[in-house]
Amino acid sequence: MELFLQTLLNGLLMAGVYALVATGLALSLGVVGIVNFAHGEFLMLGAYLSYLLFALWGLDPLLSLGLAFAAAFAVGGLTYYGLIRPVLKAPELNQMLLTFGLSVILQNLALLLFGADTRVVAPPYQAATLTLGPFFLGAVPFGAFLLSAGLLLLLQAFFTRSRLGLAMRAVAQNRLAPGLLGIEAEGVYLLAFGLAAALAGAAGVMLSVMLYASPTVGFLFTLKSFAIVALAGLGNLKGVFPAALVLALAEALVSTYVPGGGGWVEAVFFLVLFLALVGRSRRAL
């Protein structure tokens, strides 16, 4: 029983980071209306920025978190103006091909600059653990969960208590009516895409300590985020954390109880995505 509860606890901690990344993808889908296959590359940007700041100046990842958030927001804004904005009214296939091509370009650029080796940020507290009765919590996963939860709560407050947040919700629900009320959709799209990138960049800093930075780390989390968003419902921000929890717990249980589960765990999101799509197609009939 203790092993089972410890496994659930480990899954819960990982769900926070999953939800942070997937919330950004849900923003791109729900507000801007674009399927962004390059979403994970903003995560990669945050991870490599964290690594460089730590390797060159010994900057603690907690301090580089804000820098990564701002840098990813800026890159996301430039990406929106330079690439996304011109194709907003194009067919969805064009949009998907554009973002997929951007993902491939950024991965190969990172490969040229940093090589294929994984890079890890190793602050003094990386291996620290916390004891909670018979259970053990990694200090870094626990801290990442708290930071993710804090960012998601701030985002929820922004959506419910600020004019810009309410405008984003209005645009997500109806793309024509907000313009009649004087809401500038273009600025809302820019803010939403920038926020989506910034959330992924912040998650990348956490993952540079929890896992690693590599040219392909973002692509893996893009796929997991698609599974989470499909399970939650396209554009449904409130359902992202429960869906992320389902995925994280499923991965933790497979890793612990399935023979050779460590090799199967990265395929769990395919099963989650398949079940979510099949379930939605049946409800649509």
Side-chain angles (χ1 to χ4, degrees), residues 69-117:
F69 188 92
F73 184 91
V75 173
L78 291 173
T79 301
Y80 172 78
Y81 263 115
L83 298 175
I84 304 301
R85 183 185 178 190
V87 300
L88 278 181
K89 296 182 179 179
E92 291 183 357
L93 179 60
N94 294 17
Q95 298 175 0
M96 288 189 288
L97 289 175
L98 172 69
T99 58
F100 184 75
L102 177 61
S103 171
V104 173
I105 291 172
L106 292 177
Q107 286 181 40
N108 282 277
L109 181 61
L111 187 62
L112 288 173
L113 293 175
F114 300 102
D117 294 337

Side-chain angles (χ1 to χ4, degrees), residues 70 151-152 158 190 205 219 240 248 254 260:
L151 286 172
L152 291 174
F158 170 74
L190 172 64
V205 175
F219 183 68
V240 167
V254 167

Side-chain angles (χ1 to χ4, degrees), residues 27-169:
L27 274 175
S28 298
L29 281 167
V31 179
V32 186
I34 189 166
V35 180
N36 184 17
F37 282 102
H39 181 68
E41 276 50 65
F42 297 117
L43 181 149
M44 179 187 67
L45 169 66
Y48 273 118
L49 181 60
S50 173
Y51 168 75
L52 288 175
L53 292 174
F54 183 80
L56 297 176
W57 295 294
L59 191 66
D60 190 280
L62 289 173
L63 299 178
S64 61
L65 192 66
L67 294 174
F69 188 92
F73 184 91
V75 173
L78 291 173
T79 301
Y80 172 78
Y81 263 115
L83 298 175
I84 304 301
R85 183 185 178 190
V87 300
L88 278 181
K89 296 182 179 179
E92 291 183 357
L93 179 60
N94 294 17
Q95 298 175 0
M96 288 189 288
L97 289 175
L98 172 69
T99 58
F100 184 75
L102 177 61
S103 171
V104 173
I105 291 172
L106 292 177
Q107 286 181 40
N108 282 277
L109 181 61
L111 187 62
L112 288 173
L113 293 175
F114 300 102
D117 294 337
T118 58
R119 311 297 177 94
V120 179
V121 178
Y125 50 81
Q126 185 188 37
T129 58
L130 305 173
T131 303
L132 185 63
F135 307 112
F136 295 94
L137 302 176
V140 172
F142 182 61
F145 176 81
L146 293 179
L147 287 170
S148 299
L151 286 172
L152 291 174
L153 288 174
L154 287 174
L155 186 66
Q156 180 63 26
F158 170 74
F159 283 140
T160 56
R161 299 186 180 183
S162 70
R163 292 174 60 92
L164 280 175
L166 292 173
M168 288 175 65
R169 292 175 62 188

